[in-house]
Amino acid sequence: MIYLLLSILASTLIFLIFKLFDRFKINTLQAIVFNYITACFCGFITSKNPLNTQEIIHTEWFFGALILGFLFISIFNVMAITSQRNGLSVASVATKMSVIIPVVFGIYMYNESTGFQKLSGILLALFAVYFVSIKKGAKFHFKNNLLLPLILFLGSGIIDTSIKYIETTYLKEGGIPLFSATIFFFAACIGIGILIVKMIRKEFIFNPQSILGGIALGIVNYASIYYLLKALNHENLESSAIFTINNVSIILFTSLIGLLLFKEKLSFKNWIGVGLAIISILLVTLA
């Protein structure tokens, strides 16, 4: 359970750092690239297995890591934009409402338990997501209110489901750091490629603050994935329970941080969502 808690705290910090990017005028794309470079080094440093490029290329999870690297940097950019435009709570909800995808996958693929209490908790979690995401007095814009959340929903759901599948099917003992580092390496390569294109087009202006912002983001980003994989590797916890508790807890924490630190206002319906989130966590945890 300690690994799940650490993953939740690290993921919450990701949203907080994204919010601070906007406040300190940090270039989001540049910081995200430095973030993946940092996360990649974290993975290689913490890996107990020696670095062997040929061995990595011939692993069964290599192409999965390549696809995840592309998804990571794409969804991270969308997440950053949503955090800055719509606030912490909306960004976290738009990302974490995708919990239904890995939960359904875990139940279908691994025959995980589907008791009444657990299903009730999962259903309440979805209602919690809806109520917390409602912004009082906000005007509807397709790009901000539907398109970005939809992209986050599908992208985050595919990422979580793929991570669970690869962890269960292909990862060997002690392979988590190297697998994580490889994902971040591909994400960094794609990000560097984008920056090079911008330089060629003369659209690139170096932002020094992005280095420190990227390093801070990279450390917590690596921690969030590393500890999530460690939690998924725990035999006593089912993935459907882990993803539900993880996602709803992040929604809860980011909403409270937005309220306390950034004075983001929560409506009565938002508070209902927070309450439902707490109940859903208890139901799934105690099932």
Side-chain angles (χ1 to χ4, degrees):
M1 203 69 180
I2 185 67
Y3 291 133
L4 181 56
L5 177 61
L6 290 171
S7 177
I8 291 167
L9 292 175
S11 297
T12 303
L13 283 174
I14 288 174
F15 287 99
L16 178 60
I17 291 171
F18 273 144
K19 189 71 174 179
L20 292 174
F21 279 4
D22 191 39
R23 176 168 293 188
F24 291 101
K25 309 300 181 185
I26 293 174
N27 183 281
T28 301
L29 177 60
Q30 292 178 35
I32 286 176
V33 174
F34 284 114
N35 139 76
Y36 283 124
I37 294 172
T38 302
C40 178
F41 275 111
C42 287
F44 289 135
I45 291 170
T46 56
S47 176
K48 294 180 181 179
N49 299 324
L51 179 60
N52 187 319
T53 306
Q54 286 298 318
E55 187 176 322
I56 292 175
I57 292 173
H58 289 95
T59 56
E60 294 178 298
W61 47 257
F62 179 76
F63 287 106
L66 172 60
I67 295 169
L68 281 171
F70 171 77
L71 285 173
F72 266 45
I73 192 165
S74 302
I75 296 303
F76 235 44
N77 272 291
V78 176
M79 190 189 302
I81 294 169
T82 308
S83 294
Q84 293 161 6
R85 289 183 182 178
N86 301 78
L88 281 177
S89 58
V90 173
S92 63
V93 167
T95 306
K96 299 308 173 183
M97 66 190 294
S98 64
V99 65
I100 191 64
I101 297 177
V103 165
V104 170
F105 179 81
I107 293 171
Y108 174 77
M109 191 73 180
Y110 304 113
N111 297 315
E112 295 183 355
S113 61
T114 54
F116 176 76
Q117 182 176 326
K118 184 176 181 179
L119 289 176
S120 298
I122 293 171
L123 185 62
L124 277 181
L126 296 177
F127 278 108
V129 163
Y130 170 74
F131 280 110
V132 175
S133 65
I134 298 174
K135 301 298 284 184
K136 186 177 180 181
K139 294 182 179 179
F140 182 85
H141 298 286
F142 176 77
K143 185 176 180 180
N144 295 338
N145 296 87
L146 184 60
L147 182 59
L148 290 178
L150 181 61
I151 293 172
L152 287 176
F153 174 83
L154 294 174
S156 299
I158 292 170
I159 286 172
D160 287 344
T161 304
S162 301
I163 286 174
K164 170 59 184 174
Y165 179 74
I166 293 173
E167 184 277 326
T168 304
T169 311
Y170 299 121
L171 276 190
K172 297 178 181 179
E173 185 70 26
I176 291 176
L178 202 57
F179 171 62
S180 303
T182 306
I183 295 174
F184 293 131
F185 171 78
F186 284 126
C189 288
I190 294 168
I192 291 170
I194 294 171
L195 292 182
I196 290 173
V197 171
K198 284 184 171 291
M199 290 176 67
I200 294 172
R201 293 179 176 178
K202 301 187 183 301
E203 297 173 355
F204 179 85
I205 300 176
F206 179 64
N207 178 248
Q209 300 97 307
S210 64
I211 298 177
L212 292 177
I215 291 172
L217 183 62
I219 294 171
V220 296
N221 191 16
Y222 175 76
S224 70
I225 297 299
Y226 176 80
Y227 288 120
L228 178 61
L229 283 166
K230 294 285 283 185
L232 288 169
N233 196 37
H234 200 284
E235 294 180 356
N236 296 328
L237 290 173
E238 294 182 337
S239 66
S240 55
I242 289 172
F243 282 120
T244 301
I245 297 168
N246 181 70
N247 289 13
V248 177
S249 297
I250 293 168
I251 290 170
L252 185 61
F253 287 158
T254 50
S255 295
L256 293 177
I257 288 175
L259 175 69
L260 297 174
L261 297 184
F262 300 103
K263 308 303 179 184
E264 294 182 359
K265 295 182 180 180
L266 296 181
S267 66
F268 177 69
K269 289 181 179 179
N270 295 151
W271 282 113
I272 291 175
V274 170
L276 290 176
I278 295 171
I279 295 171
S280 70
I281 292 170
L282 291 174
L283 287 173
V284 173
T285 305
L286 302 175

